[in-house]
Amino acid sequence: MFFLAIPVLAEQLLNAFVGLFDTYLAGNLQSGNTVAATSAVGLAAYVGWLSSMIAMLVGTGATALITRYAGRGEHDEANRYANQSITMAAGMGEMSQGGVMGGGAMAALQVRPWGG
């Protein structure tokens, strides 16, 4: 059974290395703005983490409900929950992108553009 977890462990390890490498690159900029760049990398990591948690929230609930009804043979109910989960995922994606890209979240975090 351990062999089934190896791809997931490899993915998590690669994600950790990406974050580590991003922080390393931001900390070694020639412009001297290393504190701001490292802070931006940290902020981006948290925004990415939040958006992945939102996606997993919908995916986990949808998987539980769809498999439950499909296992019972109630395919109409399974299709209904599948359609609702797709709609919910699209809506949550729109809300999260609107909040981040619309500037509301950035203003709340007091993030200023470069040179601002």
Side-chain angles (χ1 to χ4, degrees), residues 8-115:
V8 176
L9 292 173
E11 178 190 9
Q12 292 301 317
L13 185 65
L14 290 172
N15 281 333
F17 281 141
V18 167
L20 183 67
F21 194 69
D22 285 346
T23 305
Y24 172 77
L25 287 176
N28 289 315
L29 289 176
Q30 297 295 326
S31 66
N33 251 347
T34 58
V35 174
T38 307
S39 298
V41 168
L43 177 66
Y46 279 115
V47 170
W49 174 77
L50 177 64
S51 63
S52 68
M53 290 295 116
I54 290 172
M56 283 192 274
L57 169 92
V58 175
T60 303
T63 301
L65 290 171
I66 293 167
T67 55
R68 180 178 300 155
Y69 285 105
R72 288 183 191 165
E74 300 176 22
H75 297 291
D76 289 337
E77 283 294 309
N79 286 336
R80 187 171 74 86
Y81 282 111
N83 291 335
Q84 284 182 350
S85 66
I86 290 170
T87 304
M88 183 182 289
M92 292 178 98
E94 286 293 322
M95 286 190 305
S96 67
Q97 287 301 312
V100 171
M101 303 304 267
M106 295 297 128
L109 293 170
Q110 299 178 352
V111 176
R112 292 180 203 62
W114 291 98

